[in-house]
Amino acid sequence: MANRTLTKCHSEHKVRGISVRDPSGFALRMTLCQHHLALLICFITCIPSTTFAWKRHDLMTSFIVQDVSWLSMPIKVTSFEQFLAKAFSKDFTKSDFLNQYQLNPKTVIGFKDIKKNVPASTILINYTDEPDWGMDQDLNLSPNLSPNLSKDQKYMGGYTGPTSQGFRHLYFKKWSMKAPWRTFHVPMRAMGEALKRAQIFYDLAETAYNVSEPYWAFRFLAWSLHYVQDLGQPYHSSQILTPSFLSWEDIFHFKQFVARTTQIIANYHYLYEDYAVYRLKKEISGKLERKFISALQGADFMSSSSAFLIAKHAADFSNRHSTTIGNLCYAYFGRSFLDPSIDLPRSPKAHYPIETIEKESRLTAKEKKIFLETTTKNLKKTAYYSRSLIQLAREEFLKGF
């Protein structure tokens, strides 16, 4: 991939040892000017959030549950209609279900299971990606149903297209003076429904098990797992991970600033996801040391009282590391992806291969090690909280496992 040269010069200053863009010292002057700060806040208000976290939940989950031996128990695959009849009523339809749980009315409840009986672990692996298959997209929820949901949609991905699922897959904690940058977003209240969705589908899993539908219990538990795992990704717990992702040169051009900053964040977000999958596949093939695989494996977990709290722990941990990850992503992947002509979400698959980017990276061996170790730490915690959710289900309602 050819490196591109930006047409404008930028000065850089160090944040925790990583260079951060600050054209002509502008960011520093912003702190001295209330008018400019208010303008920046206004701009950031309009920056939607990108929404896909870890690209391969199934790949991650396969290692997360590998050492959880009790998940090997075979489960009989049953129809969705049978579950609905038992859990709700004989007249309760798929449309009623989608409406009750506020899911896209075009959602397809399909099957990847071709055998009559499958291990519980296989159900979790096959369906942890399912919430990314469209169920949370293209929803314009009525303010009469839930005012906060409607407000969050506006700021967290919009109302249509792939990014419209953002409000369901993100959680930004309330702004705090103790961590002013990594908790900064507008509105400054807590935003996002990921914590609640993790709890909602955990509760539905319990309902399924209580009506003797263990297949659907594990399937809905996989949905709950998805949101917990999403929150282990720093791009899902912080809106702007580093000042380097702001299009400072367009600060006084409202629409251009919003569009370019959104594009920049999306570029580095997608690169980070691609990097995690690239590294995992290399480790599986034996070409790289099994750092990520080892981080995901294990049988450890923590005790908790709810899926909501476990999801909150995941979000809090990744948020604490979000600025570090943002700065490392900027340094690792380079400045080429600030280029307006590069738009990863709309580019052909593998158009910017991580292997090529890695070879061209100007990071020192020490800096690459920090990037690897920080990502490994996030994956380890994501796995830990995932197993904690599974263990909670075992203790509360998965009797006999």
Side-chain angles (χ1 to χ4, degrees):
M1 182 186 69
N3 286 326
R4 303 173 188 267
T5 303
L6 299 180
T7 57
K8 296 189 178 184
C9 295
H10 304 282
S11 65
E12 297 188 346
H13 59 275
K14 293 281 186 177
V15 176
R16 294 187 180 182
I18 304 296
S19 294
V20 177
R21 289 197 307 147
D22 181 4
S24 303
F26 183 78
L28 298 177
R29 296 204 307 275
M30 287 282 285
T31 60
L32 304 177
C33 181
Q34 292 182 350
H35 171 72
H36 289 168
L37 181 58
L39 186 61
L40 178 61
I41 291 174
C42 179
F43 288 156
I44 292 177
T45 299
C46 300
I47 297 173
S49 303
T50 52
T51 61
F52 292 101
W54 308 110
K55 275 188 177 177
R56 292 289 305 275
H57 287 263
D58 61 335
L59 193 59
M60 289 174 51
T61 304
S62 68
F63 292 109
I64 289 171
V65 302
Q66 190 176 69
D67 298 323
V68 185
S69 59
W70 62 271
L71 289 173
S72 62
M73 182 177 290
I75 304 294
K76 182 181 179 180
V77 178
T78 56
S79 71
F80 187 52
E81 290 72 23
Q82 179 175 304
F83 158 73
L84 293 178
K86 287 185 176 181
F88 300 96
S89 72
K90 292 182 179 179
D91 298 326
F92 200 82
T93 66
K94 172 192 165 187
S95 295
D96 294 328
F97 175 85
L98 298 178
N99 182 61
Q100 179 162 319
Y101 288 92
Q102 297 183 327
L103 302 174
N104 186 308
K106 296 180 180 179
T107 298
V108 175
I109 308 293
F111 291 83
K112 295 176 71 175
D113 312 298
I114 58 175
K115 297 180 179 180
K116 291 183 179 180
N117 295 282
V118 293
S121 58
T122 299
I123 302 170
L124 295 178
I125 293 165
N126 284 347
Y127 297 103
T128 44
D129 281 305
E130 195 164 10
D132 276 343
W133 297 351
M135 64 171 66
D136 290 330
Q137 296 176 16
D138 301 318
L139 299 171
N140 193 344
L141 300 180
S142 168
N144 295 326
L145 294 175
S146 182
N148 286 336
L149 279 180
S150 181
K151 291 176 182 177
D152 285 358
Q153 282 183 280
K154 178 180 179 180
Y155 303 106
M156 306 181 90
Y159 299 94
T160 60
T163 62
S164 63
Q165 70 180 39
F167 75 108
R168 287 267 173 87
H169 296 249
L170 305 169
Y171 174 73
F172 299 155
K173 63 193 301 181
K174 183 180 179 181
W175 183 78
S176 170
M177 288 186 65
K178 294 180 180 179
W181 185 262
R182 60 182 169 85
T183 62
F184 182 74
H185 52 270
V186 179
M188 293 186 177
R189 57 178 170 79
M191 296 174 65
E193 290 295 306
L195 306 183
K196 293 179 181 179
R197 300 309 281 185
Q199 186 65 53
I200 284 171
F201 291 118
Y202 176 89
D203 292 341
L204 188 58
E206 183 174 8
T207 297
Y209 196 81
N210 288 340
V211 295
S212 301
E213 286 292 330
Y215 171 80
W216 290 99
F218 280 101
R219 183 132 172 195
F220 295 133
L221 188 60
W223 293 12
S224 181
L225 268 178
H226 178 96
Y227 298 98
V228 171
Q229 291 177 2
D230 269 359
L231 295 173
Q233 220 272 38
Y235 283 87
H236 278 237
S237 61
S238 180
Q239 186 176 45
I240 302 173
L241 283 69
T242 169
S244 296
F245 291 166
L246 294 174
S247 184
W248 294 103
E249 56 267 36
D250 297 307
I251 191 69
F252 293 113
H253 304 280
F254 181 79
K255 290 184 178 179
Q256 182 69 4
F257 175 84
V258 172
R260 285 287 299 114
T261 297
T262 301
Q263 182 181 350
I264 291 169
I265 293 172
N267 282 348
Y268 287 92
H269 185 166
Y270 273 62
L271 285 168
Y272 189 56
E273 294 170 3
D274 287 344
Y275 167 77
V277 174
Y278 162 80
R279 172 86 197 191
L280 266 176
K281 288 182 176 179
K282 285 285 187 181
E283 291 182 11
I284 291 170
S285 67
K287 295 179 180 179
L288 289 174
E289 185 181 355
R290 295 164 66 92
K291 293 280 190 180
F292 284 5
I293 291 176
S294 295
L296 293 169
Q297 290 173 324
D300 58 329
F301 57 84
M302 73 172 192
S303 296
S304 184
S305 59
S306 72
F308 184 97
L309 288 176
I310 291 171
K312 182 69 163 56
H313 280 299
D316 287 345
F317 182 86
S318 65
N319 179 267
R320 286 197 297 273
H321 292 83
S322 59
T323 300
T324 301
I325 288 292
N327 288 326
L328 287 166
C329 281
Y330 174 68
Y332 187 86
F333 299 119
R335 293 176 54 178
S336 295
F337 295 95
L338 301 172
D339 192 318
S341 68
I342 299 179
D343 190 352
L344 258 68
R346 293 174 177 80
S347 298
K349 189 176 180 180
H351 191 63
Y352 297 99
I354 295 298
E355 189 168 13
T356 303
I357 296 171
E358 188 173 42
K359 289 178 181 177
E360 295 180 354
S361 176
R362 296 181 179 179
L363 258 64
T364 64
K366 183 179 179 180
E367 289 170 327
K368 286 185 178 181
K369 182 181 178 182
I370 295 173
F371 185 53
L372 177 63
E373 289 178 347
T374 307
T375 302
T376 299
K377 188 182 297 184
N378 264 91
L379 287 172
K380 189 175 183 65
K381 278 294 186 180
T382 298
Y384 176 69
Y385 293 126
S386 295
R387 285 189 293 271
S388 299
L389 182 75
I390 295 168
Q391 179 63 24
L392 177 65
R394 187 188 190 191
E395 294 174 358
E396 289 199 333
F397 62 84
L398 291 176
K399 308 302 181 184
F401 281 87

